[in-house]
Amino acid sequence: MFIGETMCLIGLYFHRRRERQKLRQNLMSVTRGESNSTDEPSAELSQQPRVFQWIFAFPTICDLFGTTLGGIGLLYVNASVWQMLRGSIIIFTGVLSKIFLKRKLWPIHWIGMMVTMLGLVLVGLSSVLRDNHQGSSQGQVVLGIVLILAGQSVSATQMIVEELFLKKRKFHPLQVVGMEGFFGVIFMSVIVLPVLYYIPGDQNHHSYENSLDALLMMKNDAKLLIMSVLYICSISFYNFFGLSVTKSLTAVHRTLVDACRTIVVWAVDLFIYYVFDKSFGEAWDSKYGIFQVDGFLFLLLGTALYNELLIIPPLMPKPDPPQQVQASDEPENDSPGAGENEPLLRGRDQSGTYTGVV
């Protein structure tokens, strides 16, 4: 994942190179007198922020912890349930944006998040009641759900910080994603993987996580290598597009759009089980599967409410009251030439009262 994110720095290099070329062309036009612009292209060149900045380490740590907790939770629940529970990030992101970004949430937004929470409860209920979780006990399933929700709270913190970087600090999405990937590769290579290698476990050489053996498996298995390369490319585009949505809209909108891919994961899970291999994927549970369907429908309804796709006038955001200019009874401009046109310019009606708005 972090290697894929680091690849965005290549895109950032070409983006900045193109920007510098355009600014140099503008500077040449100004020096030749071919442009009437009063901007300073050379000053804009110097305003590009440094690529390497230590502040990107914080969202990287959040990304690392959030992904790790979610990955451990995936060991105990099905992939579709894991994907649906990840929708809880909508709630965490909405609450954190209210606290830290001072974003005003109207009743329709709160109701949308509550409906989403109801959908998550139904999904979690279907997960706990079923017994086909790859041999996991109910206690392990509950633990998996708790870990997934904890991971989403950490990931929500990461998205709020990223929105601050994009909108307050004016960083480019490619720079944010690329630097998070860069720090992630450093943390994984220097700290995480070496520590896991020396923790006793069931892997080769009695390690809890043998990364060297994983690299050897990718080298000897062409399919595994191809899937790894495809994942690196997909995660690179996924994070860039996600931050582009955050920059144009908000972090909450990004989480809402991301929740819509739940049905795709579930459909693919069912398709793999019934078409390819019953040892993978997920079978339809005629007894508790309806909870999962209802949960997904509530997820969609909550997403539509938060995005104001469903118009409910009493719950919708109220428009800001128009600001009227307070004008005095006497004209402020007594300069010659105002004359008879002054009442029209100042918005005075026939009774002689100034409205303040033309």
Side-chain angles (χ1 to χ4, degrees):
M1 180 185 70
F2 288 127
I3 292 175
E5 291 179 351
T6 307
M7 290 175 59
C8 288
L9 291 177
I10 301 175
L12 178 66
Y13 167 77
F14 288 105
H15 171 75
R16 288 196 165 189
R17 181 181 178 183
R18 185 169 59 252
E19 276 191 340
R20 288 192 294 267
Q21 290 176 349
K22 290 181 179 179
L23 290 173
R24 288 193 183 98
Q25 291 176 358
N26 293 338
L27 180 60
M28 293 177 63
S29 299
V30 171
T31 55
R32 294 175 181 175
E34 298 176 357
S35 173
N36 295 326
S37 174
T38 58
D39 296 335
E40 294 290 342
S42 58
E44 295 182 17
L45 278 172
S46 62
Q47 289 176 358
Q48 287 186 333
R50 288 187 301 108
V51 176
F52 181 87
Q53 300 199 35
W54 288 102
I55 55 176
F56 292 117
F58 179 73
T60 302
I61 295 174
C62 293
D63 194 359
L64 181 60
F65 275 95
T67 304
T68 301
L69 292 174
I72 297 174
L74 180 59
L75 295 175
Y76 306 119
V77 300
N78 291 321
S80 62
V81 175
W82 173 80
Q83 179 62 39
M84 290 186 183
L85 287 175
R86 291 179 74 244
S88 61
I89 195 173
I90 300 171
I91 302 169
F92 294 121
T93 307
V95 173
L96 292 176
S97 66
K98 173 72 174 178
I99 297 174
F100 295 104
L101 301 181
K102 308 301 180 183
R103 182 169 293 124
K104 191 169 186 178
L105 298 177
W106 294 91
I108 193 170
H109 301 140
W110 289 109
I111 292 177
M113 289 191 290
M114 293 301 105
V115 171
T116 303
M117 181 180 293
L118 177 60
L120 296 172
V121 170
L122 291 175
V123 173
L125 183 62
S126 70
S127 177
V128 173
L129 295 179
R130 287 186 299 182
D131 298 324
N132 59 342
H133 287 275
Q134 305 149 356
S136 301
S137 64
Q138 284 194 353
Q140 290 176 325
V141 172
V142 173
L143 175 62
I145 293 174
V146 172
L147 289 175
I148 293 171
L149 295 177
Q152 295 315 295
S153 65
V154 177
S155 297
T157 304
Q158 172 195 352
M159 290 189 177
I160 295 300
V161 173
E162 288 174 344
E163 184 172 348
L164 289 173
F165 287 169
L166 294 170
K167 294 186 175 180
K168 300 294 184 181
R169 304 293 295 270
K170 304 299 181 182
F171 291 122
H172 194 276
L174 287 171
Q175 181 179 2
V176 178
V177 177
M179 287 308 303
E180 286 183 14
F182 173 79
F183 280 109
V185 171
I186 299 300
F187 291 155
M188 292 293 291
S189 302
V190 177
I191 301 175
V192 178
L193 294 180
V195 170
L196 293 178
Y197 182 83
Y198 288 104
I199 293 179
D202 298 330
Q203 296 282 335
N204 292 341
H205 305 288
H206 305 288
S207 298
Y208 183 80
E209 179 66 34
N210 193 335
S211 303
L212 299 178
D213 187 56
L215 294 175
L216 183 61
M217 285 190 286
M218 284 190 287
K219 176 184 177 182
N220 296 330
D221 191 331
K223 291 182 180 179
L224 184 59
L225 179 61
I226 292 174
M227 294 299 293
S228 300
V229 173
L230 289 177
Y231 178 79
I232 289 175
C233 296
S234 67
I235 203 68
S236 177
F237 286 105
Y238 168 77
N239 283 279
F240 168 67
F241 292 147
L243 282 186
S244 297
V245 172
T246 302
K247 185 177 181 65
S248 302
L249 299 173
T250 65
V252 182
H253 285 88
R254 174 187 175 184
T255 60
L256 291 169
V257 173
D258 183 69
C260 294
R261 62 177 174 152
T262 301
I263 187 63
V264 179
V265 175
W266 189 23
V268 171
D269 230 6
L270 295 173
F271 182 77
I272 291 175
Y273 182 85
Y274 287 106
V275 176
F276 290 101
D277 191 347
K278 293 186 181 300
S279 60
F280 296 96
E282 176 183 353
W284 169 260
D285 192 320
S286 58
K287 187 176 181 180
Y288 300 112
I290 189 64
F291 287 106
Q292 199 165 352
V293 175
D294 292 340
F296 174 71
L297 293 178
F298 276 107
L299 284 175
L300 289 182
L301 179 59
T303 301
L305 287 171
Y306 193 95
N307 278 334
E308 303 174 23
L309 300 179
L310 298 178
I311 306 300
I312 306 177
L315 306 177
M316 301 300 290
K318 304 296 186 297
D320 295 332
Q323 297 181 356
Q324 295 185 354
V325 180
Q326 299 295 331
S328 60
D329 293 337
E330 296 297 331
E332 296 180 2
N333 185 8
D334 296 331
S335 60
E340 298 178 354
N341 292 330
E342 186 180 5
L344 292 176
L345 295 175
R346 294 184 52 78
R348 183 165 59 186
D349 57 17
Q350 294 180 353
S351 62
T353 303
Y354 286 92
T355 62
V357 179
V358 179

